[in-house]
Amino acid sequence: MTGATGICEGRVVIVTGAGRGLGRAHALAFAAEGAKVVVNDLGVGLDGAGCSEGPAQQVVGEITAAGGAAVAHGGDIATTDGAASLVAAALETYGRLDTLVNNAGFLRDRMLVNLDEDDWDAVMRVHAKGHFLPLKHAAAHWRSEAGAGRPVVARVVNTTSGAGLLGSVGQGNYAAAKAGIIGLTLVASAELGRYGVQVNAIAPAARTRMTEDTFAGLSALPADVSPLVVWLGSAASTGVTGRVFEAEAGRITVMEGWRPGPAADKGARWTPSEAGEAARKLLADSETPQPVYGAR
């Protein structure tokens, strides 16, 4: 990262799915800013098949060659044992944990009528469960630290997607998982703030293995997203929690979610016809939704 300032000096950061793409860029960026990094990656293919320690070890090599500190973790963070060992790797290697970046994921794109149950389960598992379990184990550690009277300045950065915000044709499983991550982010932010933990999410847009086929014209680089992730993962982001940011190249957008729009109250039960008439009037006064990605 150019113009490094040491914003994460002394912090210990976990990045899941850090062997390639966005995760790799985040890991390198945190290390450049002084963090010690736990590089988690299973080394799987785009569809989650296969397994290799190579990608994680390569990123560790890049960090250490540049004078930083990093350790590889090859466990499956969508399992209880894998997630627990991930947090343990940070604590046993560096004695603390300050930031968790949940980034791991893969795709199995199909139109809904062609989407197999296995493809649904696999994508939900790695994205939704793969966010939940590391977060659960990290949060348990931070709660224990806070309970023992030790100061906690912890940060969690989850990874959602424009598909989770707006939907994406051919990605019903991925969109559902990414929308769920937004809900998890909001709940975790509300529950964990008392322990000194801030939880936010990013919806990145960058050219990676996962996006090169779906968004062929996308030219933004993974490293363009990482500065925001590093800031959210640092102590400098104090007071920012429960928010979702879209990041692409040099553009950062605060995404504003569901909130009450036009409403009507009859004061009694509607008939179906009355409810329909009222709904149509309310829709006429409401904002038009953003289009689903890929819709015609």
Side-chain angles (χ1 to χ4, degrees), residues 216-255:
L218 191 61
S219 60
L221 300 174
D224 296 333
V225 175
S226 299
L228 176 61
V229 175
V230 169
W231 181 79
L232 288 171
S234 75
S237 63
T238 297
V240 179
T241 192
R243 307 305 294 264
V244 178
F245 298 85
E246 193 173 62
E248 178 183 357
R251 180 176 59 86
I252 296 172
T253 304
V254 176
M255 303 303 290

Side-chain angles (χ1 to χ4, degrees), residues 107-140:
L107 298 175
R108 291 190 183 177
D109 292 352
R110 301 283 191 280
M111 300 299 279
L112 283 173
V113 294
N114 297 321
L115 184 61
D116 292 336
E117 185 177 354
D118 288 347
D119 292 330
W120 174 274
D121 290 344
V123 168
M124 292 296 289
R125 176 184 180 276
V126 72
H127 288 279
K129 199 173 180 181
H131 270 63
F132 159 64
L133 286 174
L135 175 56
K136 170 185 169 69
H137 288 278

Side-chain angles (χ1 to χ4, degrees), residues 3-289:
T5 61
I7 194 173
C8 287
E9 192 69 41
R11 291 181 73 81
V12 175
V13 178
I14 289 172
V15 184
T16 69
R20 302 182 179 95
L22 284 164
R24 172 182 172 274
H26 300 339
L28 295 175
F30 273 108
E33 292 292 349
K36 300 176 177 67
V37 185
V38 180
V39 179
N40 164 265
D41 202 283
L42 275 176
V44 299
L46 278 175
D47 62 353
C51 186
S52 170
E53 295 180 359
Q57 292 289 356
Q58 184 173 343
V59 174
V60 169
E62 291 182 73
I63 290 173
T64 55
V71 63
H73 177 270
D76 183 354
I77 46 83
T79 67
T80 294
D81 289 346
S85 70
L86 176 63
V87 172
L91 300 178
E92 292 169 4
T93 306
Y94 299 119
R96 60 184 297 122
L97 173 61
D98 301 287
T99 299
L100 167 65
V101 179
N102 282 316
N103 169 78
F106 60 74
L107 298 175
R108 291 190 183 177
D109 292 352
R110 301 283 191 280
M111 300 299 279
L112 283 173
V113 294
N114 297 321
L115 184 61
D116 292 336
E117 185 177 354
D118 288 347
D119 292 330
W120 174 274
D121 290 344
V123 168
M124 292 296 289
R125 176 184 180 276
V126 72
H127 288 279
K129 199 173 180 181
H131 270 63
F132 159 64
L133 286 174
L135 175 56
K136 170 185 169 69
H137 288 278
H141 164 69
W142 289 322
R143 182 181 65 175
S144 177
E145 290 291 285
R150 290 185 283 271
V152 175
V153 185
R155 304 287 186 262
V156 178
V157 184
N158 290 330
T159 306
T160 181
S161 167
L165 293 162
L166 300 176
S168 180
V169 171
Q171 294 187 308
N173 48 0
Y174 179 73
K178 289 303 192 183
I181 287 168
I182 296 173
L184 176 64
T185 298
L186 300 179
V187 172
S189 172
E191 291 185 359
L192 302 180
R194 71 192 73 179
Y195 307 122
V197 183
Q198 294 182 180
V199 187
N200 294 284
I202 60 159
R207 190 169 183 82
T208 68
R209 290 193 308 162
M210 283 180 55
T211 61
E212 63 184 0
D213 290 332
T214 306
F215 302 107
L218 191 61
S219 60
L221 300 174
D224 296 333
V225 175
S226 299
L228 176 61
V229 175
V230 169
W231 181 79
L232 288 171
S234 75
S237 63
T238 297
V240 179
T241 192
R243 307 305 294 264
V244 178
F245 298 85
E246 193 173 62
E248 178 183 357
R251 180 176 59 86
I252 296 172
T253 304
V254 176
M255 303 303 290
E256 297 182 336
W258 294 105
R259 61 188 63 210
D265 186 355
K266 179 183 175 182
R269 182 179 300 166
W270 304 88
T271 67
S273 295
E274 289 174 336
E277 182 179 354
R280 288 193 178 277
K281 289 180 180 178
L282 295 174
L283 288 169
D285 293 333
S286 68
E287 293 187 12
T288 302

